[in-house]
Amino acid sequence: MEPVDTNGATCDTYRVKLYGKLHFLKRLKPQFAGDIRYQEAFRKEFETGYRMEHPNIVRYLSLSDDGILMEYVDGETLSQRLSRHPDYFESKKNTGKFLRQLLDAVACLHSHQVLHLDLKPDNILLTRINSDVKLIDLGCCYTDTFVDTQGRTNGFAAPEQLSGGAVDERTDIYAIGKILEKLPRRHIYNKVIARCTAESPEDRYQTIEDLQNALFPKRRHRLLVPLVILALVLTLGFYFWINRNQPSAGIAEPQQESNSEQPETVLVKEIVQPAEQRESKVAVADKEQQKIQAKQSPIKSDLSEEEKAFLGQPHLHIATTDEFSRYKQQLDEYYSEANAFLDDTANFQKYPTHHSYMTRYQEILSRTLARIKADEWFCPLYESPMNPVSTYTRKYKDRLEHRAFVNGNKLP
């Protein structure tokens, strides 16, 4: 049995070898061994730790008259790591890994109705291999069966803990904020630290999950990649479905023909006839008549009856230039509320987190979409894949989505 100096206030600690394996032994100091309060706190620590099964919480193995036997962790405390290797947390990857594992361990405690109440750098170990977190020392913890707690660390204890008031998850969150203050490059987490260490528990993050979402916001734009791929596949499938019976057909660029008396027509599809047919005498003789018909009708006159019937369906209506202009104006009107929301910088104070800001933005979009659905003239153009307005609409919505993404990521 080899003494290990951990600077414990109430316990002596040892490294012991049993059956060829190293263990960690913890026993009360002689001056506290006869005090029933410390005896009960000692038993509480073991019984609480024994039921915790988490890779980032030290394992409690047995309790005897000799003390508490735990797994031995070959590593150093967070305080020692910050002192000996101050450049370790200069890496964003290392800091992110440390915070994820620490918050996972505390979340595990909270899910078992346990508050640690003594979170500090000296109670967080980092293993020598892989620098994994091991949370230790549940001597001050609060559980639903052991309500009494002995001890605290003033520099990390929340105001309600110092005053003897009611404690809850937010008391541990306060201590995590104080730990963040000790890390290098703490300015990155200024907003998070300020909220964690707020004087009133009501002003802090309410749960560990809230704190995790603030430190590691979910990137919604990652979902766009599979959605874009799906859209491309559906578009190609729709294209081949249209042209499966037209092996010689080609797609020409959309055309606009002007006339001082007739409104221009924006076309989305023109069937290109074989060269010998285009040059036939009949086609030349009817050329002028076809132009007139094309100006008067939204559907090209040289299409087959089947194609005209297909393109003449209400949901595939082809917009004229006048309709296109009116459509663009109404599109601006429908999305005016969303644009105004994104333009208003005061919303960064009103909605201080990424989640709250984006939730409000999505509510505005939902109302906008409901109004669009109710517009019997506007909605068919808005949803039709055959209209030239679809390209304009897609780019318009992409710009809107980009602005929301940029604004949302300015917030924690």
Side-chain angles (χ1 to χ4, degrees), residues 101-328:
Q101 292 187 351
L102 174 61
L103 294 181
D104 281 347
V106 178
C108 175
L109 292 178
H110 291 181
S111 69
H112 286 82
Q113 308 301 306
V114 176
L115 304 174
H116 192 285
L117 296 185
D118 197 21
L119 292 171
K120 58 183 179 180
D122 286 343
N123 283 340
I124 302 170
L125 294 180
L126 293 171
T127 61
R128 198 169 305 281
I129 298 177
N130 206 36
S131 295
D132 288 315
V133 167
K134 288 286 185 178
L135 189 60
I136 63 171
D137 196 354
L138 297 175
C140 297
C141 72
Y142 177 101
T143 75
D144 52 3
T145 52
F146 290 93
V147 295
D148 188 28
T149 180
Q150 299 293 327
R152 62 176 182 245
T153 303
N154 290 345
F156 296 86
E160 63 272 17
Q161 192 176 359
L162 293 172
S163 64
V167 294
D168 57 25
E169 294 170 292
R170 298 169 295 184
T171 307
D172 279 343
I173 289 173
Y174 180 95
I176 293 172
K178 303 301 285 187
I179 291 170
L180 280 171
E181 289 182 348
K182 303 296 182 182
L183 301 182
R185 302 176 66 194
R186 56 157 287 177
H187 63 277
I188 298 175
Y189 307 105
N190 277 345
K191 289 184 179 179
V192 175
I193 291 172
R195 187 166 178 186
C196 284
T197 57
E199 189 76 13
S200 170
E202 296 299 327
D203 296 331
R204 300 174 202 157
Y205 297 105
Q206 300 301 292
T207 65
I208 291 294
E209 183 180 3
D210 291 341
L211 178 53
Q212 288 172 321
N213 290 335
L215 287 169
F216 309 105
K218 297 176 181 178
R219 305 296 185 184
R220 295 184 180 182
H221 69 280
R222 291 177 182 174
L223 298 175
L224 292 178
V225 175
L227 290 177
V228 169
I229 293 175
L230 178 61
L232 288 174
V233 171
L234 292 175
T235 302
L236 288 174
F238 183 68
Y239 165 75
F240 287 114
W241 177 73
I242 291 175
N243 294 280
R244 69 187 189 280
N245 295 322
Q246 303 291 337
S248 63
I251 301 298
E253 290 292 314
Q255 298 180 0
Q256 294 184 357
E257 297 184 10
S258 60
N259 186 282
S260 58
E261 298 179 356
Q262 298 290 340
E264 293 183 10
T265 301
V266 183
L267 302 178
V268 296
K269 182 171 182 285
E270 177 184 353
I271 303 299
V272 181
Q273 300 295 332
E276 61 273 14
Q277 293 183 22
R278 291 203 308 270
E279 298 301 325
S280 68
K281 293 181 180 181
V282 175
V284 172
D286 294 339
K287 189 174 182 180
E288 292 302 321
Q289 182 63 29
Q290 291 173 358
K291 284 184 178 181
I292 295 173
Q293 292 176 350
K295 294 174 183 177
Q296 296 173 343
S297 171
I299 299 178
K300 290 289 289 183
S301 59
D302 55 356
L303 303 182
S304 68
E305 292 301 321
E306 181 181 355
E307 289 165 339
K308 290 178 182 179
F310 176 77
L311 293 176
Q313 297 178 71
H315 69 287
L316 295 179
H317 172 69
I318 303 171
T320 65
T321 301
D322 289 344
E323 289 175 323
F324 195 9
S325 297
R326 176 186 167 193
Y327 175 86
K328 289 191 288 186

Side-chain angles (χ1 to χ4, degrees), residues 74-105:
D74 183 20
E76 56 189 355
T77 66
L78 175 60
S79 297
Q80 293 170 333
R81 177 62 63 91
L82 290 171
S83 175
R84 298 170 183 173
H85 306 285
D87 58 334
Y88 177 79
F89 287 102
E90 293 293 335
S91 166
K92 185 177 179 180
K93 178 181 178 182
N94 292 341
T95 304
K97 175 184 175 181
F98 166 76
L99 291 174
R100 287 181 189 277
Q101 292 187 351
L102 174 61
L103 294 181
D104 281 347

